[in-house]
Amino acid sequence: MSGAADAYQQAHGTAPEGVWAAPGRVNLIGEHTDYNDGFVLPFALEQSCWVAAARRDDGVLDVRSLQDPQTAQLRVDELSPEGVEGWARYVAGTVWALREAGYAVGGLTLVVDGQVPLGSGLSSSHALQCAVALAATELHGLEVERPELARIIQRSENGFVGAPTGILDQTASLRCTDGHVLFYDCRSGDAEQVPFDAPALGVRVLVVNTRVQHAHDDGGYAERRAQCEQAARELGVPALRDVPAEGLDETLARLSDDVVRRRARHVVTEDARVVETVAALRAEDLEEVGRLLDASHVSMRDDFEISCAELDLAVESAQGAGALGARMTGGGFGGSAVALVPEERIEQVTEAVRAAFADKGYLEPEFFVVRPAAGARREA
């Protein structure tokens, strides 16, 4: 449970008008496909970010967090990408993007309780932005459909925070439903809820937070996106989504650079793996799902080059201890791995990963057994 409402009461001497929550997410498969107009398959986590909030009539955005002593008091009509530092820029960017989209968001007092592990690849920043967006729009009486709200939050990330992310994370936080993965077409916006009741199928989804922190605005993410855009230009297609998997080697031979060629190969094959994973889930073929997770990790490690030693070790030790499949999840360069594990092997896999990290002298990882949970909502 969140302490946001109590913290708001203590800080401001009055109760908030409401509390909103938005979850982190695990992307089961489909990495770096979103900004290439491709397919993704995320689900929402029970770990969420809560925002206790109330309107104010002085045009000020007052922001506090239970996790960080930094506070901010900003005028909403003076928000600019250059003017805010630290975690508060995600809050300010959300309000800025709503106002840029023509929505009359005024002053707000916000207290944040973020319980998605930071830098873990589980989308803590998007959980924060989605919770703030729901609070801001509802408090100011604004009706914004969730697909549009996801685009607005993407603008916050791209134009205010400076992270060139796609549409995956905020869409997952806003639109996932309990007990399902979200099969999402990032070009058309078509979304399908695919049932995935892991416990009923005798498996668990194990998330391993390597505690190697990453950030989407540190350059590596932007470089990968630029390389994908270069590949699409050279191939004469709107996006890598439009490159067929059939005859891929011959197609990619037309590219001028081997690094760009490998980046494109990951995206095209990853899109295909998403579609194949959906079919395998529908058929309840969990061994095939595991095989696809394994192939995804190899592709991200070798072709997209966004893994790291800790992620590789988490994946390899989980596989060796009986996981059906495992892969890094999220933007890469750190963060978390996800493993599909038979129920009876959860303890065995967890201990194997923990022992492998200890043997290498790495920080002890965090473990979460997760299930597809509800998306963003008002809590109180």
Side-chain angles (χ1 to χ4, degrees):
M1 293 296 293
S2 168
D6 289 342
Y8 188 104
Q9 177 81 44
Q10 292 172 6
H12 300 290
T14 187
E17 291 184 69
V19 178
W20 288 261
R25 64 93 190 95
V26 163
N27 194 26
L28 188 63
I29 197 166
E31 226 64 76
H32 288 264
T33 51
D34 58 341
Y35 56 78
N36 289 291
D37 282 0
F39 303 103
V40 294
L41 196 65
F43 64 84
L45 298 172
E46 293 174 295
Q47 290 84 358
S48 296
C49 177
W50 284 267
V51 172
R55 289 164 292 179
R56 49 192 301 153
D57 57 12
D58 59 359
V60 169
L61 181 63
D62 183 295
V63 184
R64 303 167 190 242
S65 169
L66 275 68
Q67 282 71 44
D68 195 302
Q70 176 193 7
T71 62
Q73 289 79 39
L74 308 160
R75 292 203 57 82
V76 297
D77 57 0
E78 296 176 358
L79 294 174
S80 70
E82 297 79 27
V84 188
E85 299 294 331
W87 69 269
R89 71 189 190 276
Y90 294 99
V91 179
T94 302
V95 173
W96 171 85
L98 283 164
R99 289 172 61 87
E100 288 287 300
Y103 293 103
V105 175
L108 293 164
T109 300
L110 306 173
V111 173
V112 174
D113 183 11
Q115 296 183 10
V116 182
L118 300 178
S120 61
L122 302 178
S123 199
S124 57
S125 63
H126 281 99
L128 170 59
Q129 291 174 92
C130 290
V132 169
L134 288 185
T137 52
E138 187 169 340
L139 285 172
H140 287 287
L142 305 169
E143 294 187 8
V144 188
E145 295 295 325
R146 293 202 174 193
E148 182 183 358
L149 202 56
R151 295 291 179 188
I152 289 170
I153 294 168
Q154 183 186 19
R155 184 174 184 185
S156 167
E157 279 268 320
N158 297 168
F160 198 96
V161 176
T165 54
I167 198 67
L168 161 63
D169 294 345
Q170 57 275 70
T171 297
S173 187
L174 289 167
R175 300 183 66 183
C176 282
T177 61
D178 187 63
H180 296 78
V181 290
L182 180 72
F183 181 32
Y184 185 71
D185 183 332
C186 297
R187 170 174 285 170
S188 69
D190 291 343
E192 180 181 352
Q193 304 289 344
V194 179
F196 180 41
D197 186 349
L201 296 170
V203 295
R204 297 290 185 270
V205 179
L206 178 68
V207 172
V208 182
N209 177 13
T210 66
R211 298 173 64 192
V212 177
Q213 293 202 359
H214 77 128
H216 285 158
D217 55 352
D218 64 0
Y221 192 105
E223 180 184 47
R224 298 307 186 280
R225 182 164 185 165
Q227 290 163 338
C228 291
E229 291 168 351
Q230 178 184 340
R233 285 194 304 271
E234 291 188 16
L235 293 174
V237 294
L240 290 177
R241 150 74 173 272
D242 301 294
V243 177
E246 298 78 10
L248 183 59
D249 288 344
E250 182 178 345
T251 300
L252 296 182
R254 294 158 46 194
L255 294 172
S256 61
D257 181 85
D258 181 62
V259 172
V260 172
R261 189 175 300 120
R262 287 188 287 113
R263 304 296 189 254
R265 183 166 57 227
H266 164 72
V267 173
V268 176
T269 58
E270 186 80 346
D271 264 336
R273 283 187 288 270
V274 173
V275 175
E276 291 167 12
T277 300
V278 170
L281 286 174
R282 289 175 176 146
E284 298 186 358
D285 186 350
L286 298 181
E287 290 191 2
E288 176 65 3
V289 174
R291 184 193 70 79
L292 291 161
L293 298 184
D294 289 345
S296 175
H297 185 77
V298 171
S299 182
M300 289 185 289
R301 183 193 67 200
D302 297 345
D303 280 343
F304 224 63
E305 296 182 288
I306 55 173
S307 190
C308 65
E310 291 86 350
L311 284 168
D312 291 342
L313 183 61
V315 167
E316 292 161 9
S317 52
Q319 292 166 334
L324 297 175
R327 63 184 285 273
M328 58 149 285
T329 186
F333 313 103
S336 295
V338 60
L340 188 66
V341 183
E343 182 178 5
E344 67 276 8
R345 290 184 175 268
I346 277 288
E347 185 174 346
Q348 179 178 335
V349 169
T350 299
E351 290 308 313
V353 175
R354 181 179 284 114
F357 271 57
D359 185 61
K360 289 287 189 180
Y362 296 155
L363 290 172
E364 184 175 359
E366 293 181 291
F367 298 93
F368 308 94
V369 176
V370 299
R371 54 172 295 277
R377 65 275 179 197
R378 183 168 183 163
E379 288 274 281

